[in-house]
Amino acid sequence: MELLKCACIEPMYSELPFLDRFQAAKDDGFDYVEFWSWTDKDLDAVKAAAGKAGIRISGFNGDADYSLIDPTHKQKYLDFLRQSVAAAQKIGAESVTIHSNALGDGGIVVNHYDELSDTVKLCSMYDMLLDCAKIAEESGISMNLEALNITTDHVGNFLKNTQMAAEMIRLIGSPKLKILYDAYHMQLNEGKICDTITEYFDTIGHIHIADAPGRHEPGTGEINYKHVMDVLKKLGYTGRVGCELFPETDTPTAVKAIMQIF
């Protein structure tokens, strides 16, 4: 089986104007594109660029200034999530990504919430995810919960391991709420990529890849991505593999390395 290839066109194709990146990704053999924020984009132009290129939009981040782990943020978080869902429907995107903590410029965790116990954080996140699942089911837009590394890029993020995310997804039991397994983040936090993917395969809705350390294309770090892709194929993975990485030199070189692992 052939895996669906998705390019994250914020860090990739940065040599080009944003709207030109859709066609470039299509020309390079990607099936989908994704990006980070939608609020800074002209959604009509995005929809037109994707349509003209004939490439599908996987999704974007569905949260911004609010946190799942802050009980006082519940209404504001869900209100913004509904706006994100409407944006996804407008441009034909299939999913949005959600996180435990609000992220600022450069992915910096805005608030570590040291004053809150882990119990409060966990219960708040579970409570809000129940509503997220309802919104996803009613709208048809899938939601993927992403754990992030706390060593390098997102110090202070609460959701840091696959087990916690996957067990909550299993408890909620919605077909529209899954986890986004980011192999780069999880290599830094917990390792054992293939064992983890196998153990929690039923909860995975989307995958991100980048080599570690460095967050560049496959072959620049320590992860054997050819083997990871083989495991996904054996498991029958039908979701998308998003290349959320910063080319070490330039995008054409990174694309060559990416295509070799599929």
Side-chain angles (χ1 to χ4, degrees):
M1 62 173 290
E2 203 164 309
L3 298 171
L4 295 171
K5 299 179 284 294
C6 178
C8 184
I9 56 173
E10 300 263 19
M12 292 182 64
Y13 298 100
S14 61
E15 303 93 341
L16 301 173
F18 184 75
L19 293 177
D20 292 343
R21 301 176 192 182
F22 295 84
Q23 187 65 59
K26 177 67 174 181
D27 292 343
D28 281 340
F30 288 99
D31 306 292
Y32 283 83
V33 295
E34 59 182 294
F35 46 87
W36 290 331
S37 173
W38 63 268
T39 57
D40 58 350
K41 308 289 192 299
D42 180 334
L43 296 182
D44 289 323
V46 165
K47 182 178 181 179
K52 183 179 179 181
I55 195 166
R56 290 171 285 183
I57 300 175
S58 175
F60 46 76
N61 289 340
D63 47 19
D65 298 330
Y66 309 110
S67 301
L68 285 170
I69 60 173
D70 184 342
T72 69
H73 279 192
K74 182 174 182 178
Q75 194 58 53
K76 292 179 180 179
Y77 187 98
L78 296 174
D79 286 346
F80 185 82
L81 183 63
R82 290 187 180 95
Q83 293 178 47
S84 297
V85 165
Q89 291 172 324
K90 179 181 178 68
I91 64 174
E94 299 181 13
S95 66
V96 297
T97 303
I98 54 179
H99 307 87
S100 64
N101 294 62
L103 303 175
D105 292 340
I108 299 298
V109 175
V110 175
N111 190 335
H112 296 189
Y113 291 104
D114 294 329
E115 74 280 9
L116 297 181
S117 70
D118 284 355
T119 301
V120 169
K121 295 173 184 176
L122 188 61
C123 290
S124 175
M125 181 159 56
Y126 181 77
D127 177 56
M128 282 197 233
L129 285 174
L130 289 170
D131 287 303
C132 292
K134 291 178 184 177
I135 295 170
E137 290 173 6
E138 290 169 359
S139 66
I141 301 297
S142 298
M143 295 184 189
N144 298 310
L145 176 66
E146 183 179 24
L148 304 172
N149 84 75
I150 59 171
T151 65
T152 308
D153 303 293
H154 308 288
V155 175
N157 197 68
F158 178 65
L159 185 60
K160 59 183 181 290
N161 63 66
T162 307
Q163 181 180 1
M164 179 185 285
E167 287 180 346
M168 281 194 294
I169 296 306
R170 284 174 175 169
L171 284 171
I172 293 169
S174 170
K176 301 299 288 183
L177 179 66
K178 300 289 185 178
I179 66 171
L180 192 167
Y181 180 82
D182 189 307
Y184 161 75
H185 289 308
M186 294 303 98
Q187 173 67 2
L188 295 180
N189 280 358
E190 63 190 19
K192 56 177 185 178
I193 290 173
C194 293
D195 286 347
T196 302
I197 288 174
T198 301
E199 183 172 1
Y200 300 111
F201 183 69
D202 60 294
T203 70
I204 296 175
H206 192 60
I207 289 174
H208 275 170
I209 66 168
D211 218 334
R215 206 171 188 177
H216 303 308
E217 62 267 24
T220 59
E222 64 194 14
I223 303 175
N224 181 354
Y225 270 117
K226 186 69 175 71
H227 179 65
V228 174
M229 296 303 112
D230 287 344
V231 169
L232 288 173
K233 291 174 184 177
K234 289 177 182 177
L235 290 170
Y237 181 66
T238 58
R240 299 173 289 283
V241 177
C243 302
E244 188 190 40
L245 54 87
F246 295 85
E248 188 173 45
T249 55
D250 55 42
T251 300
T253 303
V255 169
K256 289 180 182 178
I258 289 167
M259 293 305 169
Q260 289 177 2
I261 68 169
F262 284 93

